[in-house]
Amino acid sequence: MPQDHRPARLTRVLLAEDQGMMRGALALLLGLEPDIEVVARVGSGDEIVPTAVRVRPDVALLDIELPGCSGLDAAARLRAEVPDCRVLILTTFGRPGYLRRAMEAGAAGFLVKDGPVEELAVAVRRVLAGETVIDPALAAAALSAGPSPLTARERDALNASVDGATVADIAAKLHLSESTVRNYLSAAIGKTGTRNRMEAVRAARQQGWL
């Protein structure tokens, strides 16, 4: 009888990626590894935590910009609801602000999609072993960029402005007075060095602060 060379226990991976072709390609690549099994694939952020609660993955491989809940918000929720699951962020957007927010959310790793394919399986194994895995160039950029100057409420006000909402709309959504919303938006515009809130949103996104 031939010997079975499979590992005694496979590393169970949950994959969150909104682009179907990319999701399938990543699942295929990871599935070729003898010690890794993709046990769930989701296309929106809102599916991440309920699916993780159900399948109990060892590692969650998350994109950041997803429909519904972002990968960063899901990472924070996973830390609370599925604490044994290690989170590895894999994103197109290698922005220093995203890296800082990912680490604050409890992610164990952060890689950009244009990195070498072979590094992904290695990163999955390393974060499962308790290591922190960060793209070296992005780590250096994050250190030089410094932390986000925006407060949580200023970020909320800018996020609520994305679809061209009026100050009244933002106030209702955030349960704040209109004058308070104006103050938050004004502060955010000043801190981003922009002329209006739409420019502030763009600038904050480019830095990964939103």
Side-chain angles (χ1 to χ4, degrees), residues 97-172:
Y98 278 166
L99 173 57
R100 286 183 174 274
R101 290 170 59 197
M103 296 299 102
E104 290 170 0
F110 195 109
L111 298 177
V112 291
K113 290 179 182 176
D114 61 0
V117 172
E118 57 270 17
E119 288 186 2
L120 183 56
V122 173
V124 168
R125 297 183 186 103
R126 289 179 62 191
V127 298
L128 185 63
E131 298 180 44
T132 299
V133 181
I134 300 174
D135 179 88
L138 186 57
L143 287 173
S144 63
S148 168
L150 301 175
T151 67
R153 275 308 199 178
E154 288 162 2
R155 288 199 304 270
D156 290 343
L158 285 181
N159 275 319
S161 301
V162 169
D163 296 324
T166 65
V167 169
D169 293 335
I170 299 169

Side-chain angles (χ1 to χ4, degrees), residues 45 49 69 81 167 171:
V49 174
C69 171
E81 299 189 37
V167 169

Side-chain angles (χ1 to χ4, degrees), residues 10 18 42 56 82 87 102 109 121 123 130 139 159 189 206 208:
L10 297 176
D18 63 329
V42 301
R56 314 304 292 190
V82 194
V87 173
N159 275 319
I189 290 167
Q206 288 171 358

Side-chain angles (χ1 to χ4, degrees), residues 168-200:
D169 293 335
I170 299 169
K173 182 176 182 179
L174 300 180
H175 305 291
L176 299 170
S177 69
E178 291 185 27
S179 62
T180 299
V181 168
R182 289 192 185 92
N183 288 339
Y184 286 142
L185 291 174
S186 178
I189 290 167
K191 289 177 179 179
T192 53
T194 53
R195 296 173 297 180
N196 56 58
R197 56 178 161 139
M198 290 299 99
E199 287 186 5

Side-chain angles (χ1 to χ4, degrees), residues 9-77:
R9 184 181 184 283
L10 297 176
T11 298
R12 296 165 56 79
V13 173
L14 179 150
L15 176 60
E17 162 63 51
D18 63 329
Q19 297 182 22
M21 188 175 293
M22 176 65 74
R23 188 166 63 247
L26 289 171
L28 179 62
L29 288 170
L30 289 173
L32 294 174
E33 299 295 325
D35 58 336
I36 295 175
E37 178 185 14
V38 177
V39 294
R41 291 184 270 177
V42 301
S44 74
D46 294 337
E47 298 175 86
I48 293 172
V49 174
T51 303
V53 168
R54 177 170 53 85
V55 304
R56 314 304 292 190
D58 300 304
V59 176
L61 185 60
L62 310 181
D63 195 0
I64 291 179
E65 297 195 355
L66 296 165
C69 171
S70 76
L72 297 177
D73 291 335
R77 290 180 56 197

